[in-house]
Each structure stands twice: as structure tokens, then as C-alpha cells.
Amino acid sequence: MDKRITISTLNKMKAEREKFVMMTAYDSTFSRLISEAGAETILVGDSLGMVLQGHDNTIPVTIEDMAYHTDCVCRGRPHSLVVADLPFMSYDTTEKALRSGMLLMQAGAQMVKMEGGVWLSDSIHQLVERGIPVCAHLGLTPQSVNVFGGYRVQGRTPKEAKSILADAVEIQDAGASLLVLECIPAHLAADISSKLDIPVIGIGAGSGTDAQVLVLHDMLGMTENPPKFVENFMTGAETIQGALAAFVSAVKTGAYPREEHTYT
Ligand code: KIV
């Protein structure tokens, strides 16, 4: 990749039905390698609470942690568009969302990600008005693990599916630029992706989304008991660079995700 990826690149890829790739990164070396592998987007995920810090969930992660790792990732000078997670309770009011968004943008992010639907509309609108693009996140939103009673597939009942679709339309109307859908049935994710104009990125959401994201440590085979949607791309790869390139290629050719990675 020889030029920086922007939201215009991703919108064009959606229009041309070309799949794009997101991977998580938390440091400058992986940021550079992921960018060189051709992933269009990098997520500085609050999954760092689990894969770096060793917590059971993402709830202990702070805005200072996120700003530190966003800064590290951006020093890798990736061509990929960098999205950084706003952590638990750092955006529960619009005022806090604006301050937290500012900290991550000043650390180098080009977009922030927030978990939630309709209740975030006003914050999304205010962030975008002030120059902070937003990626929304629906379905299994890990910061709400205690509300869900575990990491469970969402959107399986008609009522839940209707509510996720309504949230998706609302957050698009509020000004979100991207949407992540996590652990929902493949048919629901495909339906939402076709109804929205903004690019939709899936994780455990089947092959009908515009893009795929995986947590770095999962796709490099370093996670104990990974969820069923994860493929270990180190299998058959000689180097980490080879595994990253294999993931990019598998998403773009449609070889990942397969039926065995999806929920119904
Ligand atoms: O924090 C993270 O890594 C995420 C992905 C699971 C999408 O939000």
C-alpha cells in the first residue's frame, strides 16, 4: 500500500463490493507489520485489557491505557486507518465522549469506536460535528458482558434482531462512519450490511459484511479456547508476516470466514 487509507477509500471499496480488512494492534511493530500486510484498518482495541493486561474482560481498561497504546500504534506510521476504542464508561455522557474522543484523536487515531446503539445518537452527532469520526459497535458488545451474562451470540430472536437493525440505522443517521457487528447470526449481519450505506465490519458475523476484523492474538493462534469464529492463520505460515498476509488474502478472496465460523 503506498498511500494512507481514509474513510473515502473504505466507502469506495463498499460501493465496489471489495472486501477490506481490520486487525487489532497495540504497539508500533505490529502496526507496521499489519499495515505492510495490506490491512486497510487497524483497531487499537480495548481487547488489550484481556490480551495484554491479562484481565477477564475489557472493563478495567482506562482512557489513559487507550491513549498510550494509540500513540504506540501511530508511531508505527501505518498506512492503515487507525480506529481507537473508547473504553468502558469513558463516553457515558456526551461531555465525557467529547473529552475521551479528543484524547484518542490527539494520540493519533483517525476515528474512535463506541459500543452501543440509539442511546449514543446524540454523542455520535456531537463528536462528528467537532471533527471526530465514529465507528459504532453492535451485537455482542464486550463492555456489556455483565448485562449479557457472558459472551453470548446476540440477535437470535426476532425482537433482538429488529432492535439491532433499528440501532444500526439510527447510528448511521446520527453520523457514524463505520459499524462493527460482533457475534450475531450471519443472515442478520448480511441484511444490515446491505441496508446501510456505511461500511460494516464483522467479527463472528458471517461472510456477508463489507469487511472482517479479528483480534491479533486470536488470529496468530495465541489465545486459549478461542471462539468458533477464529481461524489460526499461523497454521501453514512460516512467519508472523506470512500469517498476517494470509488473513488479508483470505478475507479478500472470501476464503474466510467459512460456514464453520458463523452463527445461525
Ligand atoms: O476491542 C476489540 O478488539 C474489539 C474487536 C473485538 C472488534 O472491539
Side-chain angles (χ1 to χ4, degrees), residues 161-172:
K162 203 172 152 200
S163 153
I164 295 173
L165 173 60
D167 278 341
V169 171
E170 175 81 23
I171 60 95
Q172 171 173 273

Side-chain angles (χ1 to χ4, degrees), residues 49-246:
M50 299 166 86
V51 300
L52 297 192
Q53 297 175 335
H55 296 294
D56 287 340
N57 54 51
T58 59
I59 290 169
V61 178
T62 65
I63 191 69
E64 289 77 20
D65 294 333
M66 292 309 306
Y68 172 78
H69 287 282
T70 300
D71 184 28
C72 293
V73 163
C74 293
R75 284 186 211 184
R77 301 191 186 285
H79 297 291
S80 324
L81 183 136
V82 176
V83 181
D85 263 335
L86 290 180
F88 182 65
M89 293 300 275
S90 70
Y91 53 97
D92 58 312
T93 63
T94 297
E95 203 170 53
K96 278 168 79 177
L98 289 169
R99 179 168 165 72
S100 303
M102 176 193 78
L103 291 173
L104 298 191
M105 296 297 282
Q106 289 185 335
Q110 282 116 38
M111 189 177 296
V112 298
K113 180 161 79 60
M114 311 163 85
E115 299 182 6
V118 172
W119 72 272
L120 282 176
S121 291
D122 186 49
S123 294
I124 293 173
H125 180 71
Q126 300 290 338
L127 283 161
V128 173
E129 283 283 297
R130 287 162 180 77
I132 303 182
V134 173
C135 172
H137 185 157
L138 296 170
L140 172 48
T141 44
Q143 291 170 16
S144 299
V145 61
N146 291 312
V147 176
F148 297 142
Y151 294 100
R152 297 175 196 287
V153 178
Q154 302 295 305
R156 276 187 157 145
T157 66
K159 189 175 166 206
E160 277 178 15
K162 203 172 152 200
S163 153
I164 295 173
L165 173 60
D167 278 341
V169 171
E170 175 81 23
I171 60 95
Q172 171 173 273
D173 290 349
S177 298
L178 294 174
L179 170 64
V180 168
L181 291 176
E182 179 164 354
C183 286
I184 64 170
H187 67 87
L188 176 60
D191 184 42
I192 294 172
S193 305
S194 70
K195 288 191 167 118
L196 293 194
D197 296 326
I198 60 173
V200 176
I201 306 165
I203 173 164
S207 58
T209 53
D210 307 302
Q212 298 289 328
V213 54
L214 281 178
V215 169
L216 180 68
H217 293 56
D218 290 350
M219 50 82 61
L220 291 181
M222 297 192 287
T223 305
E224 279 181 323
N225 306 317
K228 82 168 198 172
F229 60 78
V230 170
E231 176 161 330
N232 176 359
F233 285 91
M234 276 309 286
T235 306
E238 289 184 0
T239 58
I240 285 174
Q241 286 92 328
L244 301 176

